[in-house]
Amino acid sequence: MSDNQKLSSLTTEQTEFKREIGVFGGISIIGGIMIGSGIFYLGSYVLQRTGMNSGLALICWILAGIVSLVAGLCYAELGTAMPKAGGRVIYLNEAFHPVVGFMAGFTDWLLGGPGSIAAVAIALMNVAKSFFHISDFGIKVAAIILIVGATIYNLVGVKVASAVQSLSMVAKLVPIAMVMFVALFVGKVSPDLSLGSASTYAIEHNTNVISMLAIAIVAALWAYEGWSNLNTVAEEIKNPKKNLPLAIIIGIGGVTVLYALFNFAIMKVLPHEKIVEMINNDDLYLGTAVAKTVLGNAGGIIVSIGMIFAMFGTMNGMVLAQPRMYYAMAEEGHFFKSFKKLHPKYKVPTVPIIVQCIFSVVLVLLRNLDQLTNLVVISGMIFNVLVILALPILRHKYPDIDRPYKVWLYPISVIVVALVFVGLLIQGIIEDPINGSLGLLVPAAGAVVYFVFDKRIKSEAK
């Protein structure tokens, strides 16, 4: 393939996929994956790391949202310039070497996608225990049934899967918004948002406010995970050069506002002393406590329903988005040929969707929730850094590509966000060295697999 042909294939909007995802569908994929059960408890971790200072905690939520938005805008520039299925696999292939994109896709294929799906399915069924008596084995069986069911309707086309994602997005926002707005209007506490106590805490613990802010932002960023998944379905988005960045901006921006308001609502209802007492007693579900305070026993039920829909949206979004990455790996030539075949009627990558389901079921049976969560986060973090660094590399490599959208405040924004994600990766490895080591070994195994396929391809070409 000549350079001009290659460039044309990267930038064309022609595709075998069906373009059936609009702006709201794109927002639903981003928000549906990002907004999980963490909205009800991750605020506790942020408060812990800010020395229980409410003002600094709210600043962290906003800054984490800004970091995620800038990172998302890097993806928006790359996705509008190269609107291809597979997302970061494509960008890493072009910026570095096909082996790097393959390592990212291989990690998601083996761990990231199936691990996320398995972890969320198990967590969802743990919440369902508040309505039904389910044994630990029953939770795993129910999680498997849920995964298989979601896989089946994802096999009949992106239109159905996108519609389910949009419905689950609305269904999760209703109970969350209900609790939040009631709390904002009913709450009688006037939270102290001054930063004075943070300075005192920093001096007492031999640190500084900047360091506290940094590690608290890292905690908040866990709640924003999932913003990168929209690019994997770029070939199924209507008018991607306009709708992709629009969905990213509205999706991440909207989630940032939601997280900041929800955590402020917690402070409006629960006295600061009560919040500190709960966190010190390892009772981290501040959002649940707020719901019960303002809505009584019904509040607990509403929160549980919200958590179930939130986690279902996350799981469905992963089932929908991830197989397109494996499709891109096969299209590049160094993966199973069956992975690049689209269903003749539904135009979805059938084999990758089914294989992902099988891997997810196996992980449900073999791993617990904590192991799955840590493994997935650490294994994928390094590639977020590389994709952000790919943006300036591709600007230099392909200066004449049409870029309908360009990231704001370039290059400062790219440098800052890359450094933040490097810090997140390092902290994850330090806190969980076993899963951290495994998370780094899997991409290395992916490189080996790539060169096995590469050797076979070269021998067939002779």
Side-chain angles (χ1 to χ4, degrees):
M1 184 184 293
S2 69
D3 289 343
N4 287 337
Q5 287 176 320
K6 183 179 181 181
L7 196 58
S8 176
S9 69
L10 286 172
T11 58
T12 182
E13 290 189 39
Q14 294 181 353
T15 179
E16 293 182 55
F17 287 93
K18 291 183 178 180
R19 293 196 181 276
E20 296 185 321
I21 300 175
V23 174
F24 186 72
I27 294 169
S28 296
I29 289 172
I30 292 175
I33 295 174
M34 288 172 71
I35 305 170
S37 60
I39 190 173
F40 296 101
Y41 68 85
L42 281 171
S44 297
Y45 293 113
V46 177
L47 279 164
Q48 281 180 325
R49 296 182 181 193
T50 56
M52 300 296 180
N53 185 280
S54 301
L56 195 60
L58 286 178
I59 290 172
C60 287
W61 280 108
I62 294 169
L63 289 178
I66 293 171
V67 168
S68 299
L69 180 59
V70 175
L73 296 180
C74 292
Y75 269 69
E77 176 174 327
L78 293 167
T80 54
M82 301 177 183
K84 306 298 293 180
R88 66 184 182 188
V89 168
I90 302 297
Y91 318 141
L92 294 174
N93 285 350
E94 294 304 314
F96 301 103
H97 185 279
V99 70
V100 181
F102 185 90
M103 288 163 66
F106 183 85
T107 302
D108 275 331
W109 174 67
L110 196 61
L111 289 178
S116 297
I117 292 164
V120 174
I122 292 171
L124 190 156
M125 289 305 163
N126 274 315
V127 174
K129 282 174 67 176
S130 60
F131 297 100
F132 311 100
H133 177 70
I134 312 175
S135 66
D136 289 343
F137 180 72
I139 286 174
K140 293 205 167 192
V141 171
I144 289 170
I145 293 171
L146 185 65
I147 291 169
V148 172
T151 298
I152 290 171
Y153 65 73
N154 268 273
L155 286 169
V156 298
V158 73
K159 188 173 184 178
V160 174
S162 179
V164 171
Q165 187 69 7
S166 296
L167 287 172
S168 69
M169 177 71 173
V170 173
K172 83 166 73 175
L173 286 179
V174 169
I176 290 172
M178 185 186 303
V179 171
M180 183 177 73
F181 285 117
V182 171
L184 286 172
F185 286 106
V186 173
K188 301 189 182 304
V189 178
S190 296
D192 179 9
L193 301 181
S194 65
L195 305 181
S197 68
S199 299
T200 304
Y201 179 91
I203 293 170
E204 291 175 351
H205 290 77
N206 195 30
T207 184
N208 58 72
V209 174
I210 299 299
S211 296
M212 291 165 59
L213 189 69
I215 63 170
I217 288 174
V218 165
L221 280 170
W222 299 130
Y224 287 91
E225 277 293 304
W227 47 264
S228 63
N229 285 280
L230 184 60
N231 287 52
T232 61
V233 295
E235 288 190 51
E236 292 157 282
I237 296 175
K238 302 171 185 175
N239 191 8
K241 293 190 176 183
K242 175 185 176 183
N243 292 340
L244 179 66
L246 192 59
I248 287 174
I249 292 169
I250 295 173
I252 301 176
V255 170
T256 302
V257 173
L258 175 67
Y259 284 166
L261 284 178
F262 193 86
N263 282 278
F264 181 67
I266 290 172
M267 299 169 190
K268 284 273 292 179
V269 171
L270 300 179
H272 188 68
E273 297 75 17
K274 175 69 174 176
I275 292 174
V276 173
E277 179 187 349
M278 287 180 64
I279 293 174
N280 287 338
N281 291 328
D282 289 329
D283 184 0
L284 304 180
Y285 280 84
L286 302 176
T288 304
V290 168
K292 290 178 178 177
T293 301
V294 299
L295 297 171
N297 290 332
I301 297 172
I302 290 171
V303 166
S304 295
I305 292 171
M307 289 172 70
I308 287 171
F309 278 118
M311 288 184 282
F312 177 78
T314 299
M315 188 197 75
N316 181 70
M318 297 298 291
V319 173
L320 189 163
Q322 290 295 116
R324 278 65 180 174
M325 193 178 298
Y326 321 143
Y327 164 87
M329 292 161 64
E331 274 284 293
E332 191 274 328
H334 289 78
F335 213 37
F336 307 111
K337 292 180 180 179
S338 60
F339 275 43
K340 67 178 181 179
K341 293 180 180 177
L342 300 182
H343 190 280
K345 178 180 179 182
Y346 301 120
K347 299 300 180 182
V348 298
T350 303
V351 175
I353 293 173
I354 293 172
V355 171
Q356 176 178 256
C357 175
I358 294 169
F359 282 9
S360 301
V361 168
V362 170
L363 286 173
V364 166
L365 295 172
L366 294 181
R367 310 286 285 183
N368 65 37
L369 182 57
D370 289 338
Q371 291 170 326
L372 284 169
T373 303
N374 291 339
L375 188 59
V376 167
V377 170
I378 293 171
S379 65
M381 192 59 61
I382 189 171
F383 296 110
N384 280 337
V385 177
L386 290 175
V387 170
I388 292 166
L389 294 177
L391 190 145
I393 293 172
L394 289 173
R395 278 197 181 190
H396 177 73
K397 184 176 180 179
Y398 298 123
D400 298 325
I401 280 184
D402 178 35
R403 291 176 170 83
Y405 175 84
K406 290 188 176 182
V407 69
W408 305 335
L409 302 176
Y410 178 88
I412 296 171
S413 55
V414 173
I415 295 168
V416 171
V417 171
L419 289 174
V420 169
F421 280 109
V422 167
L424 188 59
L425 173 65
I426 293 171
Q427 189 198 36
I429 294 173
I430 291 171
E431 290 184 353
D432 191 349
I434 295 175
N435 278 317
S437 300
L438 185 56
L440 295 176
L441 285 173
V442 170
V448 174
V449 174
Y450 172 88
F451 286 113
V452 168
F453 273 93
D454 192 60
K455 185 177 180 180
R456 190 183 73 179
I457 290 169
K458 288 176 179 175
S459 94
E460 288 176 354
K462 290 180 180 178

